[in-house]
Each structure stands twice: as structure tokens, then as C-alpha cells.
Amino acid sequence: TCTLLSGVCGSIMWRKASAALLLALAVGYFYGGLPNFQTSPQSNSSLERAISAAWEALITLPSRQWSKVAVGVNACVDVVVSGVGLLQALAVDPGTGRDHDVLHSKEDLKDTFIHYMERGAAAERFFSDKEVFQRIARAAAEYPGAKLYVGGNAALIGQKFATNPDLMVLLCGPVGPKLHQMLDEQIVVPPESLQETDEFHLILEYKAGEKWASIQAPQANRFIFSHDVSNGAMSTLETFVASLEEFQPELVVLSGFHMMEGQGRELWGERLKEAVATIGDIPKDIPIHLELASMTDKDFMNRIMQEVLPVVSSIGLNEQELLFLSQAAEGPHAALPAWKGIPEVGRVSDILFWILEQHGRTDPSSESDLTRIHFHTLAYHILATVDGYWGNQAAAVMAGARVASSQACGLQAVDISKVELKAPLEFHSSHSGPGEQLSLNPEEPVTVWHRGNITFHLSPVLVCKRPLRTVGLGDAISAEGLVYSEITSQQPF
């Protein structure tokens, strides 16, 4: 490892006990003495260069690629604006942060935004008051520098798929005139899902180190809120499933379940049952990927885990969704209130293993279809798959990491000068059980380990130092990972 990471090893030794350092300097043995100990920035850039070069050499498309993918069902127009700037324009005082499950006022919005900004964490909330939301939306659209983008997980995943010229994409969701105009021309929208008005989501972004009064963001991120009834009720789900018969996709991607949460327990309880029954109408030989998003109601998350996870083949989620899922069902590390810094690989691995063991198809006789989880966090990604169902997963996890690095910087390719490695160079495969000690090799940047009949692939991310846009990164990561994945099992899901 030290021959590959000489500069890094040198800088680690520099920080160790001075006696060992003096001995090393005296014999003049360690990497040519003092000069090399002082070149850690250069050494780090060579580490990132090695990883980027390895991605280009090792990421290859699978032998059998998808030709038709159907994506549904949440879609909207995103209004992206400076969070601190907009809240100042709305004349609210910063005060202290406090989380609200549902937003009812400007004060609730301010409290919840600050709560997540000071943690550098992403979150999404429903705004209950339609009139107040529309006033805030108008102020956001008129705010200097505000930008309009394609929004909603399904639409963003569809847009990412559409960058592949040989891939035909069906998108079903509440598509208004503005969104329809913004979508890639390669995307097919069923006429039944077109509507007269657009759904707007407001995305309040902040930069790393940005301040508001005494609050400072530890990293760049965003806070999303909306008053979105069409997406909240997943109103186009039945239209989506009905359109599959004519379109004949090889892969279905679903998202938008998190939007139901803002509708209240009685409504989401009933709608969830209908949604699960509708998904049951999708032919069993078509794999289904579910993209999860931020949720706050443990009962709702538990119901999704018990009822939705077993009827899909694959899920995509980030560190907050992963921990909340474990907290909702009292799984591994559920006592952890929140991640501190970069989530520990061993803890993440424990939760992924538990999900597939408890709710996946690790036993061939299981009625569950779940065989794949794509986990992404800022510093690294993990693909966990039940053996025998998915192929090309090393390339898939690297492809997801590569697109996170380039898209966050607003580029088509990775620029070494604009990214940095934040992933741990050494880690354990489990936190609570007997695990292996593993390390990262920059020249082959996928670390692989096994637990039972589940295989884990980890790739570091080269983190963009000054991200231009954080919205939709998870969707791009999951879409890219799916483009590079293939089904190896002939068994129906």
C-alpha cells in the first residue's frame, strides 16, 4: 500500500511520534527524507489522478444493455435559489434551528432550514398552506439568480437515462407545459399524464462555509419544500403502469413514495395499499428499481419497508434514508441519532446486510424480490447485491461515483484540480460483528467483500470542492449505476 500511497503514508508518519520520525530522518530511508514529507497536496492530487484514470480504464458497459426504460412517477419544475438570500428577502430572523415534519408557515420553513443547514444535511418537507407557499414560490422565482430546472426524482432519472442515445425512455408523472418544454426530446410522455399547470418545488441551496448570523454550513447542500398534491398522491401511478403494456420496458424505475407523507396518515395509508397493488400488476420478469428520498414519519417508513421493498428488485438511497430506515424498524445502529461526519463503512455495511437479510431475497424460497441496494454518500458509494442476480456491479458503482464527481462540479468529465478524496483509506466490513479490515487501492478503486451470499462493492467519490448544484445528484448516481448494471439471473423477480 505504501508504494502506491507514498505521499499519504509520508504525511501520516509525519504526524506520528516524533521519535519515530527523527529515526526515519536520521537513516534517510523513508521516501528520500524531509522533502517528500512536505508534499502532501501534490501526493493527494496524484491519488485522485490515479483513481480517475482507473475509472476511465475499468468502467465498461455490460454485455447486455437496456434498450427501453420506463420511469415514474414524480415530476415537477425545480426553482433553485440561495436559501439564506430568499429567507432574508422574506424578512424572517435567523434565530435557532428546529425540525418540523410538516411546514405550516414561513417561521417553520426558517426553523427547519437552519436545523439542516447547520448540519450540512439535505432534507425535503411538505408545505401545508397553499396560499403562503404560492407567495413564497413567486418571491423565489423573482429572486436574483433564481434558476428553473427539470425536477422530481423520476424526471431527473429520466433526463439522465436520455443522455444515452440508444436508450428509449418513457416518463410518466404530472407533466405541465413548462416541464414538458424542458424535457429531453428523446423522452416519451404518455398524453394521459400531461396536465394544464406545473407543480413547483423550491430548492434552497447553501455553500460550504456559508454563514447566516451565528450559523455556518459545514458543507454544501440543499433544502427542498413544496405544496405538491399531484405528486403527493402519486396520482399518475395507475396511468404509468397501464402504459407499460404498450411500451414494453426491460427496466422500471419508480420514485415519489416519500411525497405521500405530507398527505396525512389516513390518506397515505390507503394510497400506499393501492400503490402496492398497482405495482403488483407489473410483469414479474421486469426488474423494478425504487429510488427513496427524505422521510420523517417512522410508521410510514416502516410500511414502505414491509410492503414496498419486497415488491421491488433494487433500491437507491443515501445515508440519512439508510439510518432512518434502520431507526424505523429498530435495526442495526438504530440508537445512533445521526451520522457524525463521513458515515462509518462498517455501520453502513451492517444496515445494508440487515435490509437484504430481513427484507430481501437472500433465501431463494423468499417471496421478496429485493436483491440490490445502491447506497450513496458524499465520500463513497456501496452496491450490495444478493449473489446470482446482478452483473457488472464493480463498473456500476464506479460509474455512479464518477458521475457524482463530474456533475457536482457542473462538468462532463472529472477535473482533478476541482475534486478531493474524502473516503477512508482503511475501514472495516462490519462495526458490530467480526469483520475484515479492508483498504482502498487507488489503481483499482473498488473494494469488494462478502457476507453470506451478499457481495459488497465500494468505490470512493472524488468530492467536488466547490459544487455548482447538489440537486439531483442521487438520481444521476442511481440512473448511471443502473445503465452499467445487467440482470444475470433468468429467474423472474
Side-chain angles (χ1 to χ4, degrees):
T1 309
C2 279
T3 43
L4 288 172
L5 310 176
S6 58
V8 175
C9 287
S11 75
I12 290 168
M13 289 170 188
W14 178 257
R15 291 194 296 269
K16 283 196 173 183
S18 57
L21 180 60
L22 288 168
L23 178 63
L25 290 169
V27 297
Y29 178 75
F30 283 92
Y31 314 109
L34 187 60
N36 272 16
F37 281 127
Q38 296 179 325
T39 58
S40 60
Q42 183 184 341
S43 304
N44 283 348
S45 70
S46 67
L47 201 63
E48 280 109 9
R49 187 170 286 107
I51 290 169
S52 182
W55 282 346
E56 295 312 310
L58 298 172
I59 296 173
T60 53
L61 284 161
S63 53
R64 284 181 300 138
Q65 297 169 46
W66 319 106
S67 60
K68 284 183 172 185
V69 177
V71 188
V73 290
N74 61 328
C76 63
V77 174
D78 280 346
V79 182
V80 181
V81 66
S82 158
V84 172
L86 177 65
L87 288 166
Q88 286 174 331
L90 293 171
V92 290
D93 295 323
T96 54
R98 186 162 74 91
D99 197 5
H100 296 269
D101 290 352
V102 176
L103 311 179
H104 302 288
S105 65
K106 287 193 302 186
E107 291 300 315
D108 287 358
L109 169 63
K110 175 263 297 180
D111 289 348
T112 312
F113 174 79
I114 288 173
H115 176 84
Y116 286 98
M117 178 181 168
E118 62 187 352
R119 288 160 177 77
E124 189 163 343
R125 293 290 180 270
F126 181 76
F127 200 106
S128 65
D129 190 316
K130 183 180 180 180
E131 287 182 14
V132 175
F133 175 78
Q134 286 176 339
R135 284 202 296 273
I136 296 171
R138 277 195 294 274
E142 291 164 8
Y143 188 82
K147 295 189 175 87
L148 269 58
Y149 294 100
V150 170
N153 308 83
L156 286 162
I157 290 168
Q159 288 283 88
K160 187 62 192 169
F161 279 134
T163 60
N164 297 275
D166 300 328
L167 192 53
M168 196 171 173
V169 183
L170 173 88
L171 171 67
C172 192
V175 177
K178 183 67 185 171
L179 177 59
H180 202 195
Q181 177 192 334
M182 295 165 78
L183 288 173
D184 191 289
E185 59 187 22
Q186 201 171 308
I187 293 175
V188 177
V189 180
E192 299 82 3
S193 74
L194 294 171
Q195 57 181 47
E196 289 180 10
T197 55
D198 285 283
E199 296 286 359
F200 287 93
H201 286 207
L202 302 192
I203 288 123
L204 310 190
E205 291 199 319
Y206 49 84
K207 298 182 175 74
E210 187 170 353
K211 291 181 179 177
W212 188 20
S214 62
I215 297 106
Q216 183 169 2
Q219 63 189 37
N221 222 317
R222 77 284 186 280
F223 179 80
I224 305 175
F225 68 105
S226 67
H227 176 87
D228 185 340
V229 180
S230 299
N231 284 308
M234 293 186 80
S235 59
T236 55
L237 181 61
E238 284 77 6
T239 301
F240 175 58
V241 173
S243 66
L244 300 181
E245 191 173 349
E246 185 184 341
F247 186 69
Q248 294 285 302
E250 296 148 347
L251 171 68
V252 165
V253 179
L254 272 177
S255 63
F257 277 89
H258 64 288
M259 295 293 299
M260 282 190 197
E261 194 179 49
Q263 303 299 299
R265 187 160 301 201
E266 208 170 303
L267 284 172
W268 68 243
E270 201 53 44
R271 186 66 183 122
L272 194 60
K273 278 185 209 165
E274 294 168 0
V276 171
T278 302
I279 295 168
D281 293 336
I282 298 173
K284 275 288 192 184
D285 60 342
I286 302 175
I288 303 168
H289 173 85
L290 171 69
E291 193 65 17
L292 291 173
S294 177
M295 287 177 251
T296 59
D297 186 319
K298 286 186 179 178
D299 289 342
F300 183 61
M301 179 58 110
N302 221 338
R303 287 276 301 275
I304 283 182
M305 190 159 46
Q306 302 293 336
E307 298 170 37
V308 183
L309 263 53
V311 298
V312 300
S313 338
S314 167
I315 61 170
L317 77 179
N318 69 17
E319 73 278 12
Q320 285 150 312
E321 293 138 23
L322 183 80
L323 183 59
F324 188 63
L325 199 151
S326 191
Q327 290 168 341
E330 298 180 353
H333 314 299
L336 200 66
W339 300 110
K340 289 181 182 173
I342 296 166
E344 188 191 330
V345 175
R347 288 185 197 267
V348 169
S349 174
D350 290 341
I351 303 173
L352 295 174
F353 180 73
W354 167 77
I355 295 169
L356 287 172
E357 280 272 292
Q358 295 294 315
H359 301 281
R361 194 174 185 164
T362 50
D363 182 342
S365 65
S366 166
E367 290 185 9
S368 173
D369 294 332
L370 183 65
T371 50
R372 177 182 184 270
I373 305 176
H374 192 164
F375 168 81
H376 47 88
T377 186
L378 184 74
Y380 64 88
H381 299 168
I382 296 175
L383 260 167
T385 50
V386 178
D387 295 345
Y389 291 91
W390 296 87
N392 210 43
Q393 295 302 278
V397 76
M398 286 189 285
R402 180 175 64 179
V403 84
S405 300
S406 58
Q407 188 165 310
C409 286
L411 301 168
Q412 294 297 310
V414 178
D415 181 339
I416 294 304
S417 68
K418 295 182 177 177
V419 294
E420 58 186 329
L421 181 67
K422 289 192 172 185
L425 297 177
E426 293 192 337
F427 48 88
H428 287 88
S429 63
S430 174
H431 178 87
S432 51
E436 304 167 66
Q437 180 158 349
L438 301 162
S439 59
L440 185 65
N441 176 354
E443 295 183 355
E444 291 180 23
V446 177
T447 307
V448 183
W449 68 97
H450 306 271
R451 295 176 72 171
N453 62 341
I454 297 168
T455 299
F456 296 79
H457 291 84
L458 178 145
S459 174
V461 175
L462 299 178
V463 179
C464 185
K465 294 174 190 172
R466 294 187 177 174
L468 295 179
R469 188 164 182 250
T470 58
V471 174
L473 264 188
D475 302 309
I477 290 160
S478 285
E480 195 79 344
L482 287 165
V483 165
Y484 283 85
S485 294
E486 70 176 323
I487 295 296
T488 56
S489 170
Q490 297 305 305
Q491 308 168 49
F493 280 85

